[in-house]
């Protein structure tokens, strides 16, 4: 199990090693999160988290804000029982969608539970799922680009839909849920013309041909 991130900072500082991802928080659940995107209401969320949710941010990164919003929503969804199941996690992601504005494609590890990935309701940033069949069972990979899936020997399963969350537990069980009340497919043009590798596919569309 693992997550990784190639940082291209759109918020915070490029020189601050403390802002390298993934970010980690241990309360109320051990969470590690990596995020591609940019939150447009990060400053307001940071104030809300401090005054209402009693959470302190250590950096200027909007990814740390997103991590703490997810941690708080997990606490609320679990009703302070500190026990998680798929229903609770999807409810927490729905809470994130209600609070957070902007672009976000997220991969997160929940200690002792598994891997969570979700995409903002507009599908601004890409997120794709890969699968690999092995003698020990099915392996899954979630990435911001299809080339990561190809080069590691996985097969593309499908794109994560706008507003959708994907959960893979430690036993390898795969489940997904639409967590946003309203969705629209509005991908970022910059992914095609600048950020993505030419041999990637984003939502089934060739970056090279685009």
């Amino acid at each position: 199990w693992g997550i990784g991130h190639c940082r291209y900072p759109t918020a915070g500082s490029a020189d601050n090693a403390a802002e390298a991802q993934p970010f980690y928080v241990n309360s109320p659940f051990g969470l590690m999160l990596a995020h591609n995107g940019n939150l447009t209401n990060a400053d307001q969320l940071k104030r809300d988290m401090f005054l209402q949710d009693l959470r302190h941010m250590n950096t200027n990164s909007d990814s740390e804000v997103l991590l703490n919003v997810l941690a708080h929503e997990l606490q609320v969804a679990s009703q302070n029982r500190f026990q998680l199941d798929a229903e609770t996690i999807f409810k927490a992601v729905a809470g994130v969608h209600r609070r957070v504005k902007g672009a976000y494609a997220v991969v997160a590890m929940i200690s002792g539970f598994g891997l969570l990935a979700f995409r903002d309701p507009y599908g601004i940033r890409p997120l794709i799922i890969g699968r690999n069949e092995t003698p020990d069972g099915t392996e899954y990979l979630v990435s911001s680009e299809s080339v990561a899936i190809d080069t590691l020997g996985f097969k593309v399963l499908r794109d994560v839909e706008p507003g959708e969350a994907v959960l893979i537990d430690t036993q390898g069980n795969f489940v997904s849920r639409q967590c946003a009340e309203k969705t629209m497919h509005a991908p970022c043009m910059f992914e095609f013309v600048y950020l993505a590798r030419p041999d990637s596919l984003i939502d089934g569309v060739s970056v090279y041909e685009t």
Side-chain angles (χ1 to χ4, degrees), residues 95-203:
V96 172
H97 287 328
R98 285 191 295 270
R99 294 183 70 177
V100 173
K101 292 180 172 59
Y104 50 96
V106 172
V107 288
M109 288 178 65
I110 305 174
S111 297
F113 195 91
L115 180 74
L116 169 67
F118 57 93
R119 194 175 180 188
D120 72 72
Y122 292 93
I124 299 171
R125 296 298 181 196
L127 199 61
I128 191 167
I129 309 163
R131 181 170 62 189
N132 183 37
E133 301 297 338
T134 78
D136 296 323
T138 304
E139 297 176 331
Y140 291 97
L141 188 155
V142 185
S143 173
S144 59
E145 283 197 53
S146 63
V147 289
I149 292 170
D150 299 336
T151 55
L152 291 170
F154 283 64
K155 301 293 185 184
V156 170
L157 179 61
R158 64 176 178 84
D159 293 280
V160 177
E161 295 295 322
E164 184 185 22
V166 168
L167 187 61
I168 303 138
D169 67 21
T170 52
Q171 284 74 48
N173 298 307
F174 179 100
V175 62
S176 63
R177 177 82 55 83
Q178 176 54 254
C179 297
E181 296 176 1
K182 182 181 179 182
T183 64
M184 178 190 300
H185 190 214
C188 175
M189 183 186 72
F190 222 55
E191 292 281 353
F192 288 92
V193 300
Y194 183 67
L195 294 173
R197 217 170 79 168
D199 47 340
S200 275
L201 295 173
I202 299 177
D203 296 309

Side-chain angles (χ1 to χ4, degrees), residues 42-86:
D43 290 340
Q44 181 63 50
L45 284 170
K46 187 181 289 189
R47 285 191 294 270
D48 292 345
M49 296 298 290
F50 182 75
L51 296 172
Q52 300 172 20
D53 304 336
L54 308 181
R55 287 181 171 270
H56 177 74
M57 305 296 142
N58 296 306
T59 72
N60 292 318
S61 172
D62 58 350
S63 302
E64 189 188 14
V65 174
L66 184 55
L67 168 66
N68 278 274
V69 172
L70 175 61
H72 177 77
E73 292 301 322
L74 281 169
Q75 182 176 349
V76 171
S78 68
Q79 298 178 335
N80 293 316
R81 295 195 309 268
F82 304 106
Q83 293 179 340
L84 290 178
D85 55 26

